[in-house]
Amino acid sequence: MKFYNKNTQGFFGLVAFGILLYLGVSNISYILKGISYLISVVFPFVIGGCMAFIINVPMRFFENRLFSKVKKGKRALSLMLAIICIIGVLVLISFLILPELANTLYSLASSIPGYIEEIKDFLQKLSNNPLLTKQNLMKIDLDWNKISSELMMFFQSSASSVLGSTVSVISSAVQTVVTFLLGIVFAVNALLKKEKLILQTKKLLYSYLKEAYADRIVYIGNMCNQAFSSFLSGQCTEAVILGTIIFVCMNIIGLPYAMLIAMFIGVTSLIPILGGFIGSTLGAVLIFMVSPFKMIIFVIMFVVVQQIEGNLIYPHVVGNSVGLPAIWVLVAVTVGGNLAGVPGMFVSIPACSVIYALLRDAANERLKKKGLLEKVEKK
């Protein structure tokens, strides 16, 4: 009689799972440290994968449209042109923003003397307060020795913390640069050999999984690639539209810093739904330094434009690009933002698009088997 058979297989599996769970809970700190170390090791390749995905969108366009008739070297040419275009857009944005930013800072600096005079007038009025007369101030008993010693201790601790922070910032900057360079190298190599990588992945899937499971994984992977690519292009289109509308409206109304604020709002609006509010906050602060009344006009204008853009333009531009109805775009952004902040907003829309398509196909397939698809669609 065999001690280990099919009847006892489930029991031993449950016991093994319980032992592993106990060991995991007992050594949770070591497990978390191991996961943290693994993430730090894999992180450059994750960054590289994200870069490769972003670069692949324009590279695929150039490869299929511009260099479609080129037989040799079109992948390298498309990759170089895509990288040049991305760098060119960043440089163009910098050249548009930096001069405006310099003029804005110069304008604010020139208005500082006026603010100083207002502060002086305020302090002069405050000094004439009867509660702050010389006789009343002399009655205040202060321990100057204690105050000076506490100030000295404060400055010493501040100096040590600043030194430690400087060292930490330098090491973090070096680590960031190394991670970025590793990510670029990985992205370039992955894009140059992407068909080979995809083929190797498919071989692994079909070697170790059932054919039906492998087919399903490949199908979902293609859907994810299409959804994220469409979302990226749609998000960029929406950012350009919003920045252009803000620029035109500010020029019509006659508000200052139109180019600078429109560029900031356009860049920050790459963050789904809520990104425009980040740029508008900076714009409101800049306009307030010129005129509080104009700031109120700007806030009203932005709220109106944001309502039109958020309820009409964004759901249709981004929603249509990923094949997701407008109402589910808003739901995806809200849920993703609450769960994981800004990264959650980026991932939630294409992820929700994939889930929506899978559920739609599964529901239609079940209705077809029951013979109810046409009946339900007619109701």
Side-chain angles (χ1 to χ4, degrees), residues 288-327:
F288 177 80
M289 303 297 289
V290 177
S291 171
F293 178 71
K294 289 184 177 180
M295 184 204 70
I296 296 174
I297 296 177
F298 169 77
V299 171
I300 295 173
M301 179 214 71
F302 177 78
V303 170
V304 174
V305 172
Q306 183 67 23
Q307 288 298 316
I308 296 173
E309 187 270 343
N311 292 288
L312 296 177
I313 299 175
Y314 184 86
H316 289 86
V317 172
V318 179
N320 290 337
S321 66
V322 297
L324 193 64
I327 186 172

Side-chain angles (χ1 to χ4, degrees), residues 22-42:
Y22 172 76
L23 293 175
V25 174
S26 302
N27 301 277
I28 188 66
S29 60
Y30 297 103
I31 293 176
L32 292 177
K33 288 181 181 179
I35 293 174
S36 177
Y37 176 75
L38 182 61
I39 291 174
S40 65
V41 171
V42 178

